[in-house]
């Protein structure tokens, strides 16, 4: 299935499973990556697989997942199939000794995600969540700035992702869009997404049978808050995240290619005094109205970075930066959101660790 | 206190109570109004009152509310004092037979607002809420478009009002900013703001003792939802409201003077069939990607319209378009928001009518 | 070189000449077109040709233009080679009986363009200028609106196309960027680009040997004016055209995907009176401040429309909508611009028709 | 006319001449200035003068310029009358020993401006041009950045000032709007506005008798260029200036209050070699794609700065930062623009110094 010359065989071999919406992007980026040899494209619809293969210049295709997994030359698989199929495919692949990258969301149920994460760990294999947005130059820079303490302690994170969107047949707007916001928050926040409860408010005013407008509120540690607004019914497209810190505040506007990331040296300063009363506290509030700064961002396709990280994590025998655990944290919030929706928006506990019990009481 | 010639005496006489932040604006607009004679400015700080009087060209000033109310020539008073003082001043004025306009919020407690509204009704006097935003050309146009059925049935209303703002000593960000959004929603929605529960999520990451970041989620009738995001800690200023309808969707961007109101003939159409299953329902979803239209808006200061409406409601012996009841509905939501905050964001019932009991169970 | 089955042979056969920057786009669009069979890709650098062929799925390649032209099955060629090579290639192709589409600018000298246009006419073949922008949904809509009289008579056209751009080795900023603006103006103006003189102002502050900043002023008929600003040194990217008319004014902002075309029902009305003096004339000026309207635009790649128009013009034996003559008009303005630059910006006559004499006096 | 107490008499006394459009702004700012005592408002229309006086709280008014000039207590006058009246009023005032600030443009003819500047110098008095824009926080910052070498050598300046504007009865769009752009360029460029020729292109497509759309191209020293686009017929409002430098490029967008001034560390670098040929020169071009930075700007009304500078220049016996000479340079360009218009846009020499001869040959 692969060439035998040294320069190619020193690459890792990957098969892309699923040739639908996202598969062609994976195929193109693995094909262009210096780390990878794109060894196969697998889809039950073999003609669809062939079209993707043609688009990247002659890669073998197969309708059989079993054949791919049986091939000892294949090091890893990248899965771009519907969420409900992730669990069986991933477990099979891990049991066949393959490293696995899987589309968001990790699985369609948290318990299944836990099983996947545990299996990967038990088998000593990489399980990477393809949280593509995390590998955009903008988000990589945001993570770096926060890690360097440039924003100070995080006060709030507000994310808006609205657009006239396809009403998905099987998932609501939370499961469709919020994985982006949640995975980014998990990636850039120093302690990851550490919400212990979620309140979800959804609306289905068109009676589609699922929420088309949604809001997620998540108290974070130390009094901070994270919030997500997702919406399929908005005629205008907004993709904006504001991250407020004690030192500076950052705005990421993904639809402004000329200035995606702006850092404002503006904010409220509050000198806390141990003996302060409400009155003295007020008197120590001050406002900074400093400069704005927009870092230059390299132009690089996020999926190229994803492919590189997947290879690096395999070679360095470490977790990927967007590990199965991060995918699991996203899944935990989504599942808690569904729980909160069922309770008319009352806060619902977010499961953590690898436990699978019912956390709602 | 007033001139005696006919052209002036045919005007109504008003006194402005409170010469702080908002009072000068009221004074200037009453002074310029063809409907009103600005008869007095009243403030305990007489020098402050005098400065306001000087700015509008020689109006009598007084530190005594009682003197104002005792003057039989005064038809009405406009109150721009702190919220906690509204209740006693308004009741006194109503009992003195004066029509009253009062700054938002109507009062600092719902029960007091109820008493004010009932007293005005009992005394046959106008009690108007100065919901200034409702009288901007943009909001008047929005109200008209919705009333004319141009948007169809309302599906969602999403309002964002964020800015680096002064941290108020006595109120949180909900009570400071959300009255704007809530009063506008009450004004433009055909049935007013009919939320029966509110979920409020707040954060106080700077430990100021009150929420500085806030979110309000309010299910509306027929599966619609209203949502408000208010924030004192954002370095960027956003004032945007999206109103989604079955026919069209409207975006109001108050910071874009060249195109404040845009109406999008875009959206999701869903042909409901009585016998429809989930599958057939999906097949009847379609998308409209039509034109955008931005109505021309006249340039007129909102407060000039407020002054005109106050006079008209008195002369026509009718409720003002932003009546005491509308102020009360806003107050009811704010009080429910505070209730929800006390329950970690769980939905809290919104009191309605003139009842004053404990609605939370 | 081509398949023999009916469904394919009913298509026209085209060869793409030049596999550099633009060739792959042509290849991809001819490949996807229902009107065309992509019969060959020709480039002296056969490996480059092969890479393009691979990208579109197995098209024959050749380094020999002569072979392509000798193939009786080839109906047409599309040329994406440097401007200085257009003249010999086009003439050769026309003499071989092939229809020709050629990249902008039509040629590197007007006299050569004239020869190309005349040869095409003499041989009864289509010579089409690939003015791609003219086939974007935005420009097609603009042309339609103007043709329908929606803007009224045209008063001015102002085009700005600035960006941090590559400093071209062989051409200045006028020849590199202005063909876009000029070809669009020629396309949308009812009488085409009818400027009889051009004033060009250029600057080369970095001493590159050619203008990097440029301005073109062109008086149009009836007192109107067209103006173009092109700039390689601007850190911000602007692509905006304003077209003022007696009835309405249109703004095309190509970098605003959410509202590329806006039509403003605003303007100055001037009721001219035959006996009017300057004074009475002033008194009849009035201002319209009407609505703004943004037409919905279909999403279609311009080059797909280009391919369709090329086929249609061949089949219908008519000039293409962006004919060789339109390419010649653009070339005439560019050459006059160079003439004006040589005279420190003094107006320089634009050659017209098929004359080739020295028009400058 | 003035009070006699020390704190007031230590202020300079100023009279505002002209109570039309701009006069009230001057009156308000002199009234609020710690440097000035607003001693009188003078207008032939005494009622108009009184209205302005009322607005600032009781200042004496007079219809007589002679009375103002005869008052020995008056130190200075600020003139906000039509341009054609500047020359006689300024000369009279200078001969009466008054310092003078005058609205833009300095005069309606260059020769008159020269006489005014010479008279002021001869009499040892300050003649200041009220180039208000130069005193905005944005322009003050731009001047400072350029003076500090932050942009490097200036390569180009491009200014756009378009809007649906009133068609002035007496002046064309160049004389109405371009003084703003020209005075700003003169203020921020290290050597002032040093253009030696101007090409002006105007259009009057509505047959109003004067240009309503205008373009000015001005070659600067060292191969740089300045360009101005002014337009009364544009439905959209743009006020933007781009200043390109060898080190950085600055964009001033006056209609973006959240980020008026942006400095881009982007550009083209060209390492010039003395022995460089065209080819080697090309090989040394490189591109910087660095960060963007937006300085915080204080909020201060420009006219308050104008009043302060007028007082400081009088007290320090020095030229104002926007001196009569700067007003003269603006006037020289405007007059050359008119000359160029008369020659169909051919470059026209800009008169310099205090000469008054005919520079056009």
């Amino acid at each position: 299935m692969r060439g035998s010359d040294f320069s190619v065989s020193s690459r890792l071999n990957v098969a892309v499973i699923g040739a639908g919406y996202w598969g062609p992007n994976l195929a193109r980026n693995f094909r262009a990556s210096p780390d990878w040899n794109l060894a196969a494209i697998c889809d039950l619809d073999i003609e669809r697989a062939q079209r993707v293969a043609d688009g990247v210049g002659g890669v073998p295709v197969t309708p059989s997942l079993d054949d791919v997994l049986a091939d000892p030359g294949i090091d890893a698989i990248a899965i771009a199939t519907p969420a409900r199929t992730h669990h069986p495919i991933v477990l099979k692949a891990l049991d066949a000794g393959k490293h696995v990258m899987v589309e968001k969301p990790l699985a369609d149920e948290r318990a299944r995600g836990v099983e996947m994460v545990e299996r990967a760990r038990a088998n000593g294999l990489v399980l990477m969540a393809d949280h593509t947005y995390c590998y955009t130059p903008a988000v990589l820079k945001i993570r770096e700035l926060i890690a360097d303490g440039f924003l100070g302690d995080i006060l709030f994170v507000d994310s808006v992702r609205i657009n006239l969107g396809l009403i998905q047949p099987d998932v609501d707007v939370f499961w469709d869009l919020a994985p982006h916001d949640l995975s980014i928050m998990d990636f850039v926040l120093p302690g990851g997404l550490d919400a212990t409860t979620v309140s979800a408010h959804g609306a289905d005013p068109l009676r589609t049978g699922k929420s088309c407008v949604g809001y997620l509120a998540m108290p974070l540690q130390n009094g901070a808050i994270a919030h997500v607004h997702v919406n399929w019914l908005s005629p205008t497209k907004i993709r904006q995240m504001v991250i407020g810190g004690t030192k500076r505040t950052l705005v990421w506007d993904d639809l402004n290619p000329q200035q995606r990331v702006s850092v404002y040296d503006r904010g409220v300063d509050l000198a806390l005094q141990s003996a302060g009363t409400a009155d003295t506290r007020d008197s120590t509030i001050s406002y900074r109205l400093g400069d704005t700064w927009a870092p230059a961002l390299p132009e690089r396709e996020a999926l190229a970075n994803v492919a590189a990280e997947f290879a690096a994590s395999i070679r360095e025998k470490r977790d990927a930066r967007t590990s199965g655990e991060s995918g699991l944290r996203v899944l935990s919030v989504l599942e808690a959101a569904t729980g909160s929706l069922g309770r008319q928006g009352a806060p619902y506990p977010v499961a953590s660790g690898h436990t699978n019990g019912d956390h709602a009481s």
Side-chain angles (χ1 to χ4, degrees), chain A:
Chain A
M1 217 177 232
R2 289 154 296 129
S4 56
D5 68 281
F6 184 77
S7 69
V8 170
S9 63
S10 71
R11 296 175 173 209
L12 292 161
N13 290 289
V14 66
V16 169
I17 316 298
Y21 167 66
W22 195 244
N25 295 323
L26 291 176
R28 183 167 45 79
N29 276 278
F30 280 118
R31 181 67 151 147
S33 167
D35 297 311
W36 292 98
N37 175 48
L38 177 57
I41 293 165
C42 172
D43 197 298
L44 289 175
D45 179 343
I46 191 69
E47 290 187 12
R48 193 160 74 160
Q50 189 62 53
R51 278 196 300 275
V52 174
D54 287 349
V56 295
V59 169
V61 301
T62 171
S64 164
L65 176 63
D66 289 339
D67 284 359
V68 170
L69 298 182
D71 183 342
I74 300 277
D75 301 296
I77 67 167
I79 302 173
T81 60
R84 66 180 180 281
T85 68
H86 289 178
H87 179 256
I89 296 177
V90 168
L91 290 187
K92 234 180 180 175
L94 290 171
D95 288 344
K98 311 301 185 195
H99 301 284
V100 176
M101 183 172 83
V102 64
E103 222 29 55
K104 63 94 190 164
L106 192 67
D108 57 346
E109 288 183 23
R110 184 180 184 278
R112 292 179 178 163
V114 170
E115 197 179 354
M116 290 152 63
V117 167
E118 289 178 342
R119 188 73 56 90
R121 180 163 305 155
N123 294 7
L125 293 165
V126 168
L127 174 61
M128 176 171 174
D130 178 12
H131 293 160
T132 315
Y133 264 109
C134 298
Y135 296 91
T136 57
V139 176
L140 288 168
K141 172 62 76 175
I142 294 170
R143 176 182 159 109
E144 177 192 320
L145 290 172
I146 293 177
D148 290 351
F150 201 68
L151 303 188
D153 296 332
I154 301 305
L155 303 175
F156 67 91
V157 186
D158 181 84
S159 190
V160 179
R161 184 175 305 273
I162 71 178
N163 194 16
L164 199 58
L166 288 181
I167 293 179
Q168 300 294 324
D170 49 350
V171 295
D172 64 14
V173 73
F174 294 104
W175 284 77
D176 181 39
L177 296 183
H180 295 303
D181 310 278
L182 297 171
S183 62
I184 294 165
M185 290 178 181
D186 188 65
F187 191 70
V188 302
L189 292 176
L193 188 52
D194 62 9
T196 57
T197 66
V198 174
S199 291
H201 306 284
D204 175 23
L206 290 173
R207 313 287 180 197
T208 65
K210 60 189 78 84
S211 294
C212 295
V213 179
Y215 301 94
L216 289 179
M218 294 165 280
L220 302 180
Q221 302 306 309
N222 296 315
I225 191 169
H227 190 272
V228 175
H229 173 201
V230 282
N231 191 323
W232 281 334
L233 304 181
S234 168
T236 46
K237 191 173 184 174
I238 302 180
R239 287 186 184 173
Q240 184 176 284
M241 190 179 282
V242 184
I243 305 178
T246 47
K247 290 188 186 164
R248 293 181 185 84
T249 294
L250 183 151
V251 176
W252 171 35
D253 181 352
D254 201 43
L255 300 183
N256 181 358
Q258 303 211 40
Q259 192 171 328
R260 284 190 210 276
V261 174
S262 302
V263 182
Y264 295 85
D265 191 10
R266 295 184 209 162
V268 180
D269 289 327
L270 198 79
L272 284 180
Q273 302 174 332
S274 56
T277 67
D279 285 330
T280 62
R281 200 180 294 140
D282 290 340
S283 67
T284 60
I285 289 177
S286 63
Y287 294 84
R288 265 172 303 120
L289 291 167
D291 297 352
T292 303
W293 166 73
L297 297 173
E299 287 288 332
R300 195 178 180 205
E301 193 175 1
L303 267 180
N305 291 328
V306 168
E309 170 67 6
F310 189 25
S313 62
I314 292 171
R315 286 179 169 139
E316 299 167 16
K317 298 184 193 307
R318 60 166 172 81
D319 282 351
R321 292 213 279 180
T322 50
S323 63
E325 271 82 359
S326 67
L328 195 55
R329 284 191 292 273
V330 169
L331 208 51
S332 301
V333 172
L334 291 172
E335 201 160 283
T338 300
S340 174
L341 283 177
R343 294 182 176 188
Q344 287 75 48
Y348 197 94
V350 177
S352 64
H354 293 181
T355 57
N356 270 318
D358 178 13
H359 295 264
S361 59

